[in-house]
Structures are given as structure tokens and as C-alpha cells.
Amino acid sequence: MKNVVVVGSQWGDEGKGKIVDWLSEQADVVIRFQGGHNAGHTLVIEGVTYKLRLLPSGIVRKDKISIIGNGVVIDPWSLLEEIEEIKKKKIEVDTNNFMISESANLILPFHKEMDEIREDAAGKGKIGTTRRGIGPAYEDKVGRRSIRVMDLRSESNLDHRLENVLLHHNAIRKGLGKTIYKKEHLKKELLKIAPKILKFSQPVWLKIDEFKKQKKKILFEGAQGVLLDVDHGTYPFVTSSNTVASSAATGTGCGPDSINYVLGITKAYTTRVGEGPFPTELKDDVGELLGSRGKEFGTVTSRKRRCGWFDAVLVRQTIKISGINGIALTKLDVLDELDEIKMCVEYELDGKKIKYLPAAVEDQLKIKPIYKTFPGWKQSTSGSKNIEALPENAKKYIYAVEDFIGAKISSISTSPERDDTILLEDPFND
């Protein structure tokens, strides 16, 4: 019996929602440990589609405990809206099955506005954020001026904390010629929703310790992907949190010994949303085909995703950085119509061959992919539930991916439906 961390091994959007939902059937507890409502998971269960932003994927299943950890930044109004949305689909969300870390930091309206102001002013240098205030909220957390869930308990404490954070933000807003924020109005709005948020507030680190003693299976759910990690991703075109598996410990309040297996979700090709380097990007008919067959639009923003060939160099790198034990390969069926399929196995930089993604963005933008070409299978793999049922060329491609990246492929997803999964290794009971 193991505790499992799920992370994206590329730039996010790898299909974590389906895999996490599939795993949550075995788990007792599902915990989000970083990110905010910029990350979206789409689940399809018995014909019903659930689009989650902050709520852990376990929320849609009965008898599961869902937790938002201290590493997550929470827009309280967005969270309450999401809870109401999912309740309309007959999903219960109450204090028995949902809790929020009292130490989680809040995203406030001025964080979102600052995100928008910066992106609009950046011109060609824009990052491509979701404009939801994630980055500015994490900045306030590190700057020790953030409002946390626990601050909503006391009006006097909230007043003091707001005065501190607005001193910083209003100085910047004034310098940019923007209207300053009124503390009293914001305090009034926060106090209005405080009871609705505080009823879920818990010392999550303590609850996790109890769950471990009770031998409960815990699923730690990450957002985005390792290549968007603020330390290890394609900086500065990254998110503002650590998306690697080790942040499951710091983002929830448990030791690294709580993590027994790391599952990396990996598309059979590569996609990216927003700006930044993308060595294998395809701006041709094949790229368009991948995007249309894969329905590559963001769950949260509906932005069109950039598409390209599978970059095995990058995935091998994220496997090492995040300590990934097994790979869940998703969207294999999207490749079914292609005559040939390419996999990046090396880069060329300034005339020299290299075997990893360099850290400098200037180099990342210059590198050229070196491909290995595989024949397509020109047959449908959609809905396959057994690896032996796959076309021979599909199996050759899968085994080549596994061999190059140096990690076992533990499952293969062949459609958005949760049951259309080929299980090769169970992360909870391998």
C-alpha cells in the first residue's frame, strides 16, 4: 500500500484529470499541493463532464476526502463558485469530505489586476499567464505580506494584514497611474465570505499525520507540469510555484517519506499553452491535426494549445528532476491517422549536439530538435484496454519511448473515457 504523487512531465495539459480520477477510486484522500485556479482538470464520468479548477479530483467520488494544501493559492470567490457549480451536478461538498489548509494563501482582486497590468505592459516579452493573479499572490506569500485563510478568523487581524499588503500594492498602483484599493471595501467583502471558507479550514499537516497512522492511501495531485516549475522549468516562461513531485511534501505539511511512488503523466506528443520555448513545435498541417484530434484547448482559459512531436529529451530530463517512477502515457489514439511519427532524441545548439535542455532561455530558443522517425500504424487504438490489442507499430513506438526516457510506462490512455486505459503497473500496489 503506497501514497502516490501525480505530476505532469511536460508543460501541463497532459491529461492528469482522467488519470487522477482513475487513481482516486483506489485512494482514500486526494490532496492538491500547489498552483491555483489557473490549472484545469476535465473529468468524464458516466457521460457527465466535470471541469475542476481548485477542487481536487477526488471530490466527484463518494467516500473520498479532498484537501487543498498550504502550497495552493486560493481565490476564495472562485472556489465558492466552483463548489456551487459542482453541487448543481449532484456532488456533495461539505466538511466531511472537503478541507482547506488554514495556512493556504489567498488570491485577492488586486492580484488579478496586477497580473493583467504586467502582461499588457510586457508586449513581446509577455509570459502568457492565465491572468488569474497566481504569480502576484505567490510574490506576496514570499514577501510575507499575504492574507492567509486563518487571517479571516479575526476582523482586527484581517484589518492589520490588509493594511500591510495594500501599503505595498497601492504604492505600485499609484506609480502606474492606477486607482488605489480601499481597505474597508475589501475587508467587508472578505468578512462576508469568511464563514463559508473557514468552515473547511483545518491544520492539514495534522490531518495527514492522522491519515498515515490510519493507513489511508493518499493521492497527491499536482497542477501544470514539471517544465513550468519556477526552478526547473523554461524560466521565465513558467508558473510561480514548484510543480515537481517533492513539493507535495512542502505543499501539504508532510515529510518526503510520505511519498512512495511518483507517477508522471505524459502525452504521446507534446503541447504547450502560452509563450516560451518549444523545440518540437509544429506549425504545419500535422500540428493542426494533433490539435484538432486531441481537442487541444485549455480547460480554464479555452486557449488553443501549441502542438508538436514527442520530446523524449525533455521527458527524460523531467523524470530525473522529479524522481518519476512510472509514466502514464496519454492520448495515444490522437496519433492514429499519421503516416509517420517523430520523436526528438537529441538537440543541436550552435552546431553541437547536446542531450539535455539548457537552462538559458536564449539557448532554449535556438536549439534544433534531432528526430528519430517511426512508421505510423494507421489503425484505431481508441478504446483499447489491452496492450496486445494495439497495432504492432504502436507497440514499437511505445517501447521506444519507454527505452529512451528510462522509466517504465505504467499505463496507456486510449481515449478520454476513464475505462479506456491499459494498466501495466498499479502505482498504489505495484
Side-chain angles (χ1 to χ4, degrees):
M1 190 165 64
K2 296 185 173 184
N3 296 329
V4 176
V5 178
V6 172
V7 294
S9 71
Q10 295 156 306
W11 278 291
D13 308 308
E14 299 95 349
K16 290 187 291 295
K18 170 187 169 175
I19 303 299
V20 170
D21 170 60
W22 175 64
L23 288 170
S24 68
E25 193 167 43
Q26 295 184 64
D28 301 302
V29 183
V30 183
I31 311 176
R32 269 284 305 271
F33 59 84
Q34 49 76 221
H37 65 310
N38 56 336
H41 288 171
T42 300
L43 314 178
V44 181
I45 303 172
E46 296 179 357
V48 180
T49 300
Y50 303 94
K51 294 190 175 183
L52 305 178
R53 300 179 296 277
L54 270 169
L55 291 171
S57 299
I59 202 72
V60 299
R61 302 212 161 269
K62 290 183 179 180
D63 304 319
K64 311 293 179 184
I65 298 170
S66 293
I67 300 174
I68 294 178
N70 56 275
V72 178
V73 285
I74 301 170
D75 181 324
W77 294 278
S78 179
L79 175 60
L80 293 174
E81 182 181 306
E82 188 175 342
I83 289 172
E84 289 307 310
E85 284 175 8
I86 205 163
K87 280 184 174 180
K88 289 176 183 176
K89 296 188 176 183
K90 299 180 181 179
I91 299 295
E92 290 296 321
V93 182
D94 54 39
T95 54
N96 294 315
N97 72 341
F98 179 58
M99 64 182 72
I100 304 169
S101 170
E102 60 184 1
S103 301
N105 293 261
L106 300 182
I107 299 173
L108 300 176
F110 51 77
H111 291 131
K112 181 181 177 181
E113 289 186 23
M114 184 56 65
D115 219 352
E116 293 171 343
I117 291 167
R118 287 176 179 169
E119 278 290 275
D120 291 339
K124 291 182 179 179
K126 66 180 181 179
I127 301 296
T129 77
T130 56
R131 297 171 177 253
R132 278 164 167 73
I134 310 298
Y138 274 116
E139 286 178 41
D140 280 350
K141 174 182 178 178
V142 175
R144 294 165 295 187
R145 55 183 171 265
S146 185
I147 308 295
R148 300 193 289 175
V149 170
M150 66 180 73
D151 294 323
L152 300 178
R153 293 176 188 156
S154 162
E155 182 175 349
S156 60
N157 182 58
L158 180 60
D159 188 89
H160 170 70
R161 299 299 303 161
L162 281 172
E163 191 170 311
N164 186 43
V165 72
L166 287 176
L167 180 68
H168 172 82
H169 279 272
N170 280 337
I172 297 173
R173 294 176 70 88
K174 188 175 180 180
L176 293 171
K178 305 294 180 181
T179 56
I180 64 170
Y181 252 88
K182 302 291 185 182
K183 180 185 70 174
E184 291 304 319
H185 174 72
L186 187 52
K187 183 174 75 171
K188 182 180 177 182
E189 292 301 305
L190 283 169
L191 289 173
K192 189 187 299 183
I193 62 168
K196 296 177 182 179
I197 297 293
L198 287 172
K199 70 178 181 180
F200 298 116
S201 174
Q202 291 275 0
V204 162
W205 64 271
L206 188 57
K207 300 300 294 185
I208 292 174
D209 188 57
E210 291 175 11
F211 296 146
K212 287 168 63 179
K213 289 175 180 175
Q214 294 164 7
K215 305 295 184 185
K216 291 186 181 294
K217 293 181 182 179
I218 303 173
L219 180 62
F220 297 91
E221 179 182 3
Q224 289 97 25
V226 175
L227 291 169
L228 291 175
D229 185 278
V230 70
D231 287 306
H232 302 289
T234 48
Y235 190 92
F237 301 96
V238 293
T239 194
S240 297
S241 62
N242 286 110
T243 59
V244 292
S246 55
S247 64
T250 54
T252 58
C254 61
D257 64 334
S258 301
I259 300 170
N260 307 118
Y261 189 100
V262 180
L263 180 66
I265 315 301
T266 309
K267 267 181 188 164
Y269 50 102
T270 309
T271 63
R272 175 164 201 172
V273 172
E275 310 301 318
F278 187 169
T280 64
E281 183 174 10
L282 296 171
K283 297 181 179 179
D284 56 12
D285 291 343
V286 176
E288 287 296 317
L289 177 67
L290 293 174
S292 60
R293 281 185 56 81
K295 296 181 174 59
E296 296 298 350
F297 295 90
T299 300
V300 172
T301 63
S302 296
R303 288 188 295 176
K304 186 178 179 180
R305 296 172 186 143
R306 300 153 65 191
C307 298
W309 293 120
F310 183 76
D311 194 330
V313 178
L314 280 183
V315 173
R316 182 176 62 185
Q317 189 164 324
T318 61
I319 285 170
K320 296 178 187 300
I321 288 168
S322 209
I324 291 171
N325 301 108
I327 289 292
L329 191 68
T330 65
K331 295 200 171 185
L332 181 71
D333 55 305
V334 174
L335 305 179
D336 286 351
E337 294 182 4
L338 296 172
D339 293 316
E340 63 176 26
I341 296 162
K342 295 182 180 182
M343 179 172 76
C344 176
V345 295
E346 210 168 15
Y347 297 137
E348 183 183 309
L349 176 63
D350 297 329
K352 296 180 180 179
K353 291 182 178 180
I354 58 172
K355 299 181 181 297
Y356 65 94
L357 185 74
V361 70
E362 293 85 357
D363 291 338
Q364 293 172 1
L365 290 167
K366 285 193 297 182
I367 57 175
K368 297 176 182 178
I370 297 172
Y371 291 114
K372 183 175 182 178
T373 303
F374 299 83
W377 41 91
K378 304 291 287 184
Q379 292 175 247
S380 175
T381 60
S382 182
S384 297
K385 297 178 177 64
N386 187 304
I387 194 165
E388 296 306 320
L390 294 176
E392 201 60 36
N393 283 347
K395 287 188 280 187
K396 287 180 180 178
Y397 177 69
I398 291 165
Y399 295 142
V401 168
E402 184 177 61
D403 182 62
F404 188 88
I405 63 178
K408 183 177 177 61
I409 291 179
S410 62
S411 65
I412 304 164
S413 174
T414 57
S415 95
E417 295 296 327
R418 69 184 300 276
D419 291 331
D420 292 341
T421 303
I422 298 170
L423 180 64
L424 303 172
E425 177 180 84
D426 186 343
F428 275 115
N429 303 288
D430 68 329

